[in-house]
Structures are given as structure tokens and as C-alpha cells.
Amino acid sequence: MSTHTVNATQAHSESMFDAVLARLDVAAKLMNLSDEVLQVLKNPSKQVKVSLPIMMDNGKIQVFEGYRTVHSTHLGPSKGGIRYAMDVNADEVMALAAWMSFKCAVANLPYGGAKGGIKCDPRTMSVGELERLSRAYAVSMKDVFGVNRDIPAPDMGTSGREMAWILDEFNKINGEDSPGVITGKPIAIGGSLGRDAATGRGVMVNALAALKKMGLLPTEVTAVVQGFGNVGSHAARLLSEKGIKIVGIGDHTASFYNEKGIDIKEALEYAAKNNRVLKGFTGATEIKHEDLLISKCDVLVPAALQNVITEENAGKIQAKLIVEGANGPTTPEADPILNDKKIICVPDILANSGGVTVSYFEWVQNKAGYYWTEEEVNTRHDLKMEIAFEAVWHNASSFKTGMRIAAYITALQKIEQGVKLKGAY
Ligand code: GLU
């Protein structure tokens, strides 16, 4: 498989949206995407920024910034998570919204893309403060969200708890229950079985599909997983259940390595009892955070933050396969380095699309008012992921490019039809 590289000068890793544009340009050129469609996709269709004054527990008002960007609606209503993190800003939300458009198209879901976020540090806030903030955000976005308009979901720093508050506020405003306006909800109020583990499950299905193409058996490879939150912990568990030896794990509190393999069940039990963090885990040797990604392994799963594989460390990565559980973990400057090293990289817009795929199933179940078994959800998920993987693999070989650009091409082939068929004013 030969590779096409992104010109490093085209993208500055400080701007995540530039990182999207850099890849978009390469894919567009390779597939001969019309300039008109490219222009449409380079400009998100709606950007909303709000100020959220919240009464904090200390009796003082603090004002938070909230965002929602709808990137596209050509293939259906826009879909994408809401993150609570300190680095949330307009540029980041715009990049994440565009990635959602491409992710939904790659997974063949009838959705456009969106993303939202609030600049805050949820770890330092009380449950009451987070509830008031989530409800205020829902009120401010009441005209943006809608079952057939824009459907949010969890992302970094949020979970079913926040989705329940946002749903409740939306329902109060509208005077009716519309569970399909948000996904990733707790099961009791219309969530889907399998949604919680879905992103990690998608990482596992993509990793197995790639290993098969590489002629490697799961039982003969090792993996390192960075991140032990919703995505990383499920990915590590599911990969180890498939016989892959997990030799490295880490979260924001500590990183660990054990060449003999880490007992993931033990790590999960430890984190469950330890405020959901790994610090203090004794089933492996603690290593420096920066050594985790470059430690010896066959499969590397960055499932924590963006921009962690950079031009500084890409050359030192030892894995043969990278499966991106996080959104945007690799900078455009690192892409050519990985390509030169012949490392296969299953990109975020394919590798982590399991989450939004089961969000789609949740929305379908909410619309039908009929709920599936976990087995039905998982079987349909795995099939959709395998089809998406094959489509991207096929485009990688027919366009003679790496999987990242092939995934963009796969998405653009679908979105282009939507843009052209729906037309313009
Ligand atoms: N936040 C997740 C993502 O980045 C899920 C989005 C969704 O389910 O709508 O893919």
C-alpha cells in the first residue's frame, strides 16, 4: 500500500480544524472532489456560542462558555457528542463536528455531523453545579437540538448522567417526552443496551479486522491502550477477551507496563474502587506517561486525548498497527512519519465510530418505541463496523493511499452525493 502524505506546512497542530482541512484537501484531490462540494464542507453550517451563568455552591455566579457546531446535514440530522473539558473552544468544536460528519458517513449512518462542548473542568465541580450547568446548556440549545434536527450524545467528560439532565430539560421546554433527541442515555430512560461499551467494541472489531488483513492472530499480538475511561477501558477489556495480551495501559493519573500482560479485569476492579483512576495500581510497573505510546507492542490504541501522536514521538512508535479510539490523536505532521514506517493506522473516523453507530440504534429504538436485546445490538454493530472497515480498506488499495485518507474518501463519496442531490439555493 503506497501512501500520500499531508504537507506539514498546510496544517498547524495548534488548530484542530486546520488538521481536518489538511486531510480533507489531500482526500479531495485524490478522489477529484468538486471544488463546490469542498467549499461546502470547509464551512460548518451553523456555529452557536452561548454564555452560561451558573450559581456555584459557594453562592457566587460563574459564567461558562458553551458551544454547538453543526458541520453538515446533507445525509440527515446532525449527530455528535457534547464534551466538558477545559480546552473546549470554537476551533476544537468545529473540527470535532466535521469529524462527526465524516464518521457518520463512513459508518453509513443517515446523519450529518455536529459537536458541542462546555469549557469547564468537571472533575472540580460538584454534582449540583454540573446539573445546573447541563440544564442551562440544554435551555440555551433548545432551538438547535431536535429528534430530527440535531441529536447530541456523550463525549469526553460527560456520560448518561448529563444526557438524562439535558433530556429532562428539553422535555420540560417542549411539554412532551422525546427520548430520541439525545443518545447515550441511561437504559431506564430509553438508552440502548450495548451503548456504553460500543466505542470500545468498535475499536476491538476494527483491530481484529486489521490484524486479519495483516495475517496476524489476536493470540500472537500484544497491545497498549492509552486512556482508561469509557473508550479505553472497554477497548482493553474486549481486546483481552479476544486473546490479545494487553501489556500497557494508562490514564491521566498514571501509566503502566508489564511485558507478561496486565490482568484487565483486575485493573477495571481497581479503577472502580479507586475513583475511576489507575494511580496506585500494582498489577504492572508504573512508567512515565510519555513512554506509554512508544513502548514495545504490536497494536497501539490511543483512546484518551487529541494530538498525542506527533512529529516528536511518531518516529519512536514500535507498534505495527494503530487503532484510534480517541478523536484526533494523530497530528497531520505525524501522518507521513507513520506512513514511512509502514504502520497501518485505522483512523478515528472509522475506529471510534462504534459509539455513534449504537447511538443510531438507540435513536431508531426510541423512534420505534421497541427495544432490542444486547445481542441484537452487538451483532448489528459488528456487521456495520466490518462493512465500514472493508469499504475503507478497499478505497485504500484502489486510491493507493493510507487508511486515514481512504476513510475521508469513503465519507466524501457519500457526502458528495448528499450535497449534489439536495442542491443549493
Ligand atoms: N462522542 C462520540 C463520538 O465522538 C459519540 C457521538 C454520538 O454518539 O453521537 O463519536
Side-chain angles (χ1 to χ4, degrees), residues 25 42 53 94 101 134 168 200 275 322 372:
D25 280 333
K42 282 187 169 184
M94 195 157 64
S101 294
S134 303
D168 184 55
N275 213 8
I322 297 175
W372 310 348

Side-chain angles (χ1 to χ4, degrees), residues 207-208 211 217-225 235-249 256-264 283 295-301:
L208 293 196
L211 287 173
L217 286 173
T219 46
E220 59 191 26
V221 297
T222 59
V224 162
V225 181
R237 176 180 60 80
L238 289 159
L239 289 171
S240 73
E241 282 172 16
K242 294 291 172 190
I244 294 178
K245 192 202 278 183
I246 311 293
V247 290
I249 54 173
F256 298 90
Y257 192 84
N258 183 349
E259 63 178 6
K260 295 200 179 76
I262 298 170
D263 185 335
I264 296 301
S295 57
K296 192 165 165 24
C297 65
D298 302 301
V299 184
L300 177 62
V301 180

Side-chain angles (χ1 to χ4, degrees), residues 50-72:
V50 292
S51 295
L52 305 167
I54 302 301
M55 183 62 74
M56 304 304 277
D57 291 349
N58 65 7
K60 293 207 169 87
I61 289 175
Q62 192 176 328
V63 182
F64 293 87
E65 285 170 23
Y67 297 87
R68 184 77 180 168
T69 291
V70 173
H71 173 258
S72 78

Side-chain angles (χ1 to χ4, degrees), residues 79-81 100 103 115 153-155 183 195 327 352 355-356 359:
K79 184 87 192 79
M100 284 310 303
K103 195 186 297 189
K115 198 73 157 207
D155 197 82
T183 61
R195 174 64 184 87
N327 288 311
N352 71 34
V356 70
S359 272

